[in-house]
Amino acid sequence: MKNNILIAFVAFVLIFNSCDDCEDKDCFTPPNGFTFELVNKTTKENLFTNETFSSNEISVTNLVDNSNLEFDFIDEDDVNLIQLNSIGWESETIEVLITVSGIDILNLIVDAERTSEDCCEFTKYNDIKIENAEFELNEENGIYTILVTQ
């Protein structure tokens, strides 16, 4: 009888102790956003800064369901960027079309997997593709410079 009580007590402690392992960890990591700068391929001028494009003419479409995708337009110190922060909050494969002034600028295809490990939730990008555009990725700041031919 004592052995049964001891086994039950040890099992109880292990079960509840394992549940508390994550209790003290504040480890939620939002997905990395995607940031794009549109520049003239020849002059490298930002196309919003030189007023070739207007920020109110940006359209970002989720081609999977034809819905509009939220984006932010960052307009600071003549640095004008399009930022997508709504991708990767859940496991998904998404294809996005960015259009400005009726011109298709790029297709972004992302295979995102929301996962957790060691009590930490994060997004793993299995694949990221940019199609129908020339681009350069700045590894330091994560900004994709899209080279637009006019």
Side-chain angles (χ1 to χ4, degrees):
M1 181 75 175
K2 287 182 181 179
N3 284 340
N4 288 343
I5 293 173
L6 181 60
I7 291 171
F9 177 74
V10 170
F12 178 81
V13 169
L14 288 175
I15 289 170
F16 283 101
N17 207 18
S18 65
C19 291
D20 291 337
D21 286 348
C22 297
E23 195 172 288
D24 293 335
K25 291 186 179 181
D26 185 18
C27 191
F28 174 82
T29 305
N32 289 333
F34 294 89
T35 305
F36 303 97
E37 179 181 22
L38 308 185
V39 301
N40 179 296
K41 181 179 178 180
T42 306
T43 65
K44 305 293 191 223
E45 286 181 293
N46 184 295
L47 294 172
F48 293 101
T49 303
N50 73 11
E51 298 181 357
T52 299
F53 290 148
S54 172
S55 62
N56 62 1
E57 296 177 328
I58 300 170
S59 173
V60 181
T61 306
N62 176 348
L63 295 177
V64 173
D65 62 8
N66 259 355
S67 64
N68 291 328
L69 196 67
E70 287 185 39
F71 69 92
D72 294 312
F73 185 75
I74 300 168
D75 177 11
E76 295 177 8
D77 300 325
D78 288 332
V79 175
N80 295 283
L81 304 170
I82 300 169
Q83 191 169 55
L84 307 178
N85 292 313
S86 57
I87 297 173
W89 288 96
E90 59 187 50
S91 293
E92 63 184 337
T93 299
I94 187 168
E95 183 173 354
V96 175
L97 172 64
I98 297 179
T99 304
V100 182
S101 301
I103 301 167
D104 293 351
I105 301 297
L106 67 93
N107 287 72
L108 172 68
I109 302 164
V110 179
D111 177 10
E113 180 182 349
R114 195 71 185 163
T115 188
S116 63
E117 189 175 294
D118 296 327
C119 304
C120 296
E121 189 177 329
F122 59 95
T123 299
K124 181 171 82 171
Y125 291 115
N126 297 317
D127 196 22
I128 300 171
K129 292 181 196 170
I130 295 178
E131 296 181 344
N132 304 320
E134 286 185 59
F135 68 92
E136 298 168 355
L137 172 61
N138 182 322
E139 298 282 344
E140 289 180 25
N141 62 21
I143 296 175
Y144 291 90
T145 299
I146 307 301
L147 307 170
V148 178
T149 305
Q150 295 181 295

